[in-house]
Amino acid sequence: MTFNSITFLFFFALVSFFLLITNFDFKIKKDKILLIRHIILLVSSYVFYAWWNWKCAFLMLVLTFISYWTSLRVEKTNNKIYLAIGIVIPLIILGIFKYFNFFVDSFAYVFGIDQISTLNIILPVGISFYTFQSMSYTMDVYRKQIDCEKSFVKVALYIAFFPQLVAGPIVKAKEFIHQLYEDRNINWENFKEGIQIFVFGLFKKIVIADNISVCVDAVFNMPENYHAVSIVMAVIGYSIQIYCDFSGYSDMAIGTAKALGYDLSRNFNMPYIAKNISTFWKRWHISLSTWLQEYLYISLGGNRKGTVRTYINLFLTMLIGGLWHGASWTFVVWGILNGVLVCIA
């Protein structure tokens, strides 16, 4: 189920209908109404995800339970062992599904092994996003930036909230969970603003990105048939295509959440007007850049341990950021290049 499908339109209308019902005065306490709304959104989020593959919904549930349980133990004991469990196990799960076959194939290629066993598994859509969110929640609790949430429903909704579930933006717990304690639901002003944002994102996606992709793919598939000028134009077109595709999807996610009464952070801020590569990464996929900065770069030591260590930390952050985007050597090289450029900048 994608945002630019008729199926999603009916799905969103149905979710909105059930949420609107909770606006009526049923003489029920506020906390009970909020719980009902959260359950509606949580069930809807799992239906949204299971629409793609219902088996993978159980994987997301497992990661949610790990994050919920380890955070409870971290707050109670302040023991780094539980923090390690809340980080290592999700990383192992992510590694198995996303990177295991890549590393096995790379190992076989380097050592000239013809036959080697790989896993016959599918890559769960959005796993990188909700894995990062589950880990950041546990780390925020350990750092005492937020209180541990006792309600499993709230933690599960934070991780599975369907507008941002598949392709972001990556949402931090401290930005979202507090909204679950507020009386947020559909109202005309939020709905109108959310639909406007959604339509703008939809326009970027289906009118600009999808149409440009036709021309770009034709050149990229058979570059030998085109003049150098056409190839340069295709490269420029691809930069526009990927921006409008990704930022358009983010806008649709933000708009959907806003229409339902929730705020997600901006994910793109005119990145192509950036003066240098460092500024670019503060404007492009902002939720990922800030996540990597806060939970990886700073955890590695940031700029607190001298100039050389700062450059190493910057390089490693960009390298891992590249690998996060996909399990291939293309993304590894892409991460290395960006790491070098960020260090130079």
Side-chain angles (χ1 to χ4, degrees):
M1 189 188 306
T2 58
F3 285 157
N4 57 328
S5 65
I6 298 299
T7 304
F8 178 77
L9 180 63
F10 284 107
F11 170 79
F12 178 73
L14 190 62
V15 174
S16 301
F17 171 75
F18 283 116
L19 288 174
L20 279 170
I21 292 176
T22 66
N23 282 340
F24 292 101
D25 186 8
F26 292 106
K27 306 299 181 182
I28 302 176
K29 292 182 179 180
K30 178 183 175 181
D31 59 337
K32 298 297 182 183
I33 289 293
L34 293 181
L35 177 60
I36 292 171
R37 290 174 183 168
H38 298 160
I39 291 174
I40 292 172
L41 285 171
L42 181 59
V43 172
S44 301
S45 297
Y46 270 84
V47 169
F48 178 84
Y49 194 68
W51 200 273
W52 173 76
N53 188 305
W54 65 269
K55 295 178 182 179
C56 291
F58 288 100
L59 177 64
M60 184 168 63
L61 185 62
V62 169
L63 283 169
T64 301
F65 178 78
I66 292 170
S67 181
Y68 175 74
W69 178 77
T70 54
S71 298
L72 287 174
R73 299 304 302 169
V74 162
E75 184 178 64
K76 184 175 181 179
T77 65
N78 199 37
N79 194 322
K80 288 186 177 180
I81 293 178
Y82 295 109
L83 173 65
I85 293 173
I87 296 175
V88 172
I89 293 181
L91 284 177
I92 290 174
I93 293 174
L94 178 63
I96 291 173
F97 280 91
K98 189 171 183 177
Y99 299 107
F100 180 83
N101 288 346
F102 164 65
F103 285 117
V104 168
D105 289 338
S106 298
F107 178 85
Y109 177 80
V110 170
F111 290 95
I113 302 175
D114 294 330
Q115 294 182 344
I116 192 167
S117 298
T118 57
L119 298 178
N120 184 24
I121 55 177
I122 60 173
L123 176 63
V125 64
I127 187 172
S128 298
F129 290 91
Y130 59 76
T131 299
F132 270 30
Q133 291 191 188
S134 69
M135 292 191 300
S136 65
Y137 170 65
T138 305
M139 286 188 279
D140 283 348
V141 171
Y142 178 78
R143 294 174 176 179
K144 302 189 184 303
Q145 294 181 347
I146 60 172
D147 293 328
C148 181
E149 180 53 59
K150 304 303 187 293
S151 168
F152 181 79
V153 172
K154 287 187 175 67
V155 175
L157 179 55
Y158 154 66
I159 293 174
F161 188 48
F162 75 85
Q164 51 77 45
L165 177 59
V166 174
I170 301 172
V171 181
K172 300 182 182 69
K174 56 192 174 188
E175 298 172 345
F176 185 80
I177 289 182
H178 72 88
Q179 298 183 49
L180 300 178
Y181 284 91
E182 301 167 358
D183 188 15
R184 291 174 176 256
N185 200 23
I186 298 174
N187 61 57
W188 175 241
E189 290 302 319
N190 284 339
F191 191 81
K192 180 174 64 174
E193 182 180 351
I195 294 302
Q196 289 174 346
I197 298 171
F198 182 92
V199 171
F200 181 60
L202 186 65
F203 177 84
K204 288 197 289 185
K205 164 64 178 162
I206 66 174
V207 176
I208 301 178
D210 288 356
N211 283 289
I212 289 179
S213 68
V214 176
C215 301
V216 170
D217 290 346
V219 177
F220 281 11
N221 289 335
M222 301 185 70
E224 66 276 6
N225 293 342
Y226 293 88
H227 191 273
V229 175
S230 298
I231 295 175
V232 171
M233 293 301 295
V235 171
I236 295 173
Y238 180 72
S239 68
I240 298 172
Q241 173 199 337
I242 193 172
Y243 168 73
C244 289
D245 189 277
F246 197 0
S247 68
Y249 195 98
S250 292
D251 288 342
M252 286 188 278
I254 293 168
T256 301
K258 186 67 177 180
L260 297 175
Y262 296 89
D263 296 316
L264 301 182
S265 60
R266 187 176 185 178
N267 210 20
F268 290 85
N269 182 21
M270 296 184 289
Y272 289 149
I273 68 170
K275 295 180 179 180
N276 54 54
I277 190 67
S278 296
T279 306
F280 174 84
W281 281 111
K282 294 178 181 178
R283 293 172 173 268
W284 178 281
H285 203 348
I286 299 170
S287 63
L288 174 62
S289 299
T290 55
W291 197 99
L292 291 172
Q293 179 185 30
E294 184 170 347
Y295 297 104
L296 181 58
Y297 174 70
I298 292 178
S299 297
L300 289 172
N303 59 359
R304 303 187 304 272
K305 298 185 177 181
T307 302
V308 174
R309 182 63 181 273
T310 298
Y311 288 142
I312 292 174
N313 293 341
L314 282 171
F315 180 81
L316 289 175
T317 298
M318 295 309 300
L319 174 61
I320 293 173
L323 194 57
W324 179 89
H325 280 84
S328 72
W329 284 107
T330 302
F331 287 110
V332 173
V333 173
W334 179 85
I336 291 173
L337 290 174
N338 276 276
V340 172
L341 291 173
V342 168
C343 289
I344 293 174

